[in-house]
Amino acid sequence: MRLLLLSTPVGPLGSGLGGGVELTLHNIAQELHQRGHSLQIVAPQGSQETLPLVGISGNLQVTAQTLERDAHISLPTNSVLANIWEYARQVEADYDLLVNFAYDWLPFYLTPFLHRPIAHLVSMGSLSLAMDQVIEHVAIQFPGTIGVHSQAQADTFAFAKQCRCLGNGLDLSRYQFQTVPNDFLAWVGRIAPEKGIEDAIAASQQTGIPLKVLGAMPDPAYWQQVCQAYPNAPVSYEGFLSTQRLQQILGQCRGLLMTPRWVEAFGNVAIEALACGVPVIAYRRGGPAEIVQHGKTGWLVEPDSVEGLVQAIARLDQIDRHTCRQQAEAQYSMSAMGNRVEAWFNDILRSAN
Ligand code: HBI
C-alpha cells in the first residue's frame, strides 16, 4: 500500500507534546515500512523522524483535553493543521490510503471532500460535543474507518459499535525482562490530577514499601501539594526519563500501580511494565482494565480504593513475571500491532473499491 500518515498538530514529532500518539505513529510507520509498504509522514515543522517526512509550517493547535465539553471549534491563524490538510489535498492522488492521527475537527470534517479513503486513529475518549459529532458523522458515512485503542475508549462514544479496536504495540526489543525485583513499587505518568497519583502514594505510606515516581511534572505546585498531604510516604521522584532509563528502573520494581481517575484510552505504561516482566495493579477503569489479566499478569482493583491497592500489593508475589513478558510478546509486539493495523487498512481499501 502507498500510505500518507498525517500527524497530530499539537507539536512536532519527538517533542513529547503529542504524548502517546507520537510513539503510536512512529511504531505503526516503522512496522508497515518493515513490511514493504511505502509511506510518507506529514507533521509540524521540526519533527524528528527517521522515515520519509514532510515538515509543515504554521501555528500549533491547542490540546483538546484542556477544552470544555461545549467548546467551539477553533483554529489559529496560519494553522499548521489546515496547512497539513491542504498538503494532503494536493498529493492524495499519489496514495492509496490516508491515515489521520489528529484528534481534531478539521480532518473529520474534510473526509467527504477528499477522494482517497481515510483511516482515522482516534487517540482519546470523548472530550467534547463538537468532536463527538464530527467523528460520529464519519463513523456512519464511512463505516469501519474509525480506529480506537480499547473498548473502554470506544464506549465513551455513542458510536462505540462502529469503532475498530486496535489495542497498541511497542518495540519490545527496547525493554529488558528482569526476573528478580528490588523492594519498591513504581508509578509512571504525567503528574496531573486525572492520573490519581495520591492513591498510589497513600498505598505506599500504608504498606511502607518505597514508591518511585517517573514521568513529566507539568505543575510542580501540584506535586508539592500532594507530597505535603502524605509527609511520611517513602516516595521519590525520578524525573521524566528516556525509554532506556525508564525501563531500567521500571524493570526492577515489584509492581506498577495505575490509578487513573479518567478513562485512559489505552495505558501504554501498562504494556511497558509487562514487557519488563512487571505485574500491573490497576483500577478496573479504562484501557488498563482490558490489558491486565487479573491474577495472571497483575490485579484489577475497585476504582479509587486505596484499600484495594494495598490488598493487591500483598498478592504481587503470586504473579509469575515470565507470564507478564509473554503477554506483551503475544499481544503488544510491533508485529501483533502491525497485523491488526494492516488488516484494518486492507478492510478499508476493500470496502472503498
Ligand atoms: N489535542 N487538539 C489536539 N489534537 C491532538 O491530536 C491531540 C490533542 N491532545 C493530546 C493528543 N493529541 C495526544 O497526546 C494523544 O495521544 C493523547
Side-chain angles (χ1 to χ4, degrees):
M1 287 178 264
R2 298 170 301 164
L3 300 165
L4 187 65
L5 307 180
L6 301 135
S7 184
T8 170
V10 298
L13 287 174
S15 69
L17 289 171
V21 81
E22 286 187 29
L23 199 62
T24 302
L25 186 155
H26 173 77
N27 286 341
I28 287 173
Q30 193 72 35
E31 182 62 18
L32 293 179
H33 174 72
Q34 199 87 32
R35 295 175 182 219
H37 299 291
S38 69
L39 55 89
Q40 176 82 47
I41 299 169
V42 188
Q45 208 150 46
S47 289
Q48 307 298 325
E49 185 45 74
T50 48
L51 291 162
L53 179 128
V54 172
I56 302 289
S57 64
N59 295 316
L60 297 176
Q61 193 68 21
V62 170
T63 59
Q65 66 266 45
T66 54
L67 298 177
E68 297 302 317
R69 280 203 68 78
D70 59 356
H72 290 187
I73 297 303
S74 73
L75 285 174
T77 54
N78 186 28
S79 153
V80 69
L81 177 65
N83 296 342
I84 285 173
W85 283 86
E86 169 53 24
Y87 176 82
R89 186 188 63 78
Q90 288 169 9
V91 302
E92 65 164 330
D94 301 336
Y95 299 91
D96 302 307
L97 180 70
L98 276 53
V99 188
N100 169 47
F101 289 83
Y103 192 97
D104 289 281
W105 181 83
L106 188 64
F108 292 94
Y109 179 72
L110 289 178
T111 299
F113 293 88
L114 292 172
H115 302 95
R116 282 289 185 269
I118 305 177
H120 293 280
L121 206 163
V122 175
S123 61
M124 295 182 278
S126 167
L127 285 179
S128 73
L129 300 175
M131 279 304 294
D132 286 7
Q133 211 168 54
V134 77
I135 303 173
E136 181 164 33
H137 196 66
V138 171
I140 293 167
Q141 204 179 350
F142 301 92
T145 64
I146 303 297
V148 293
H149 289 302
S150 70
Q151 196 50 52
Q153 177 198 354
D155 291 342
T156 64
F157 298 111
F159 49 88
K161 291 196 179 16
Q162 279 77 31
C163 294
R164 176 92 171 220
C165 190
L166 299 163
N168 211 334
L170 287 175
D171 178 353
L172 297 177
S173 66
R174 303 177 67 191
Y175 297 82
Q176 308 309 317
F177 174 72
Q178 297 190 47
T179 320
V180 182
N182 295 341
D183 189 23
F184 64 84
L185 298 164
W187 187 95
V188 182
R190 199 164 24 86
I191 301 175
E194 71 272 15
K195 299 282 188 177
I197 191 166
E198 294 85 345
D199 295 356
I201 294 176
S204 165
Q205 180 163 288
Q206 271 195 44
T207 57
I209 302 175
L211 177 72
K212 286 187 192 272
V213 173
L214 301 91
M217 185 187 290
D219 177 5
Y222 173 67
W223 174 245
Q224 290 312 325
Q225 175 197 330
V226 167
C227 290
Q228 272 146 26
Y230 300 93
N232 312 322
V235 177
S236 62
Y237 174 59
E238 305 290 330
F240 176 61
L241 307 175
S242 66
T243 296
Q244 168 51 25
R245 280 291 295 135
L246 169 79
Q247 65 89 32
Q248 242 167 13
I249 296 176
L250 183 55
Q252 291 168 10
C253 80
R254 287 180 52 197
L256 172 75
L257 302 183
M258 293 193 79
T259 56
R261 290 258 184 278
W262 71 336
V263 173
E264 288 273 0
F266 185 69
N268 283 334
V269 180
I271 57 178
E272 291 184 293
L274 295 176
C276 298
V278 174
V280 177
I281 293 174
Y283 286 155
R284 196 185 298 276
R285 176 183 278 156
E290 293 171 36
I291 296 169
V292 177
Q293 293 172 352
H294 187 64
K296 284 182 63 187
T297 57
W299 299 105
L300 291 174
V301 164
E302 176 63 32
D304 309 322
S305 161
V306 171
E307 193 42 44
L309 295 176
V310 169
Q311 285 164 12
I313 291 167
R315 298 196 294 172
L316 274 173
D317 303 344
Q318 291 173 27
I319 304 294
D320 175 351
R321 293 171 75 94
H322 289 87
T323 312
C324 297
R325 173 74 192 194
Q326 283 153 12
Q327 180 188 359
E329 285 170 356
Q331 292 178 308
Y332 303 116
S333 64
M334 294 281 271
S335 56
M337 177 64 173
N339 290 341
R340 294 190 290 264
V341 170
E342 198 173 45
W344 179 37
F345 289 175
N346 281 323
D347 288 351
I348 293 176
L349 288 183
R350 229 191 320 278
S351 57
N353 297 331

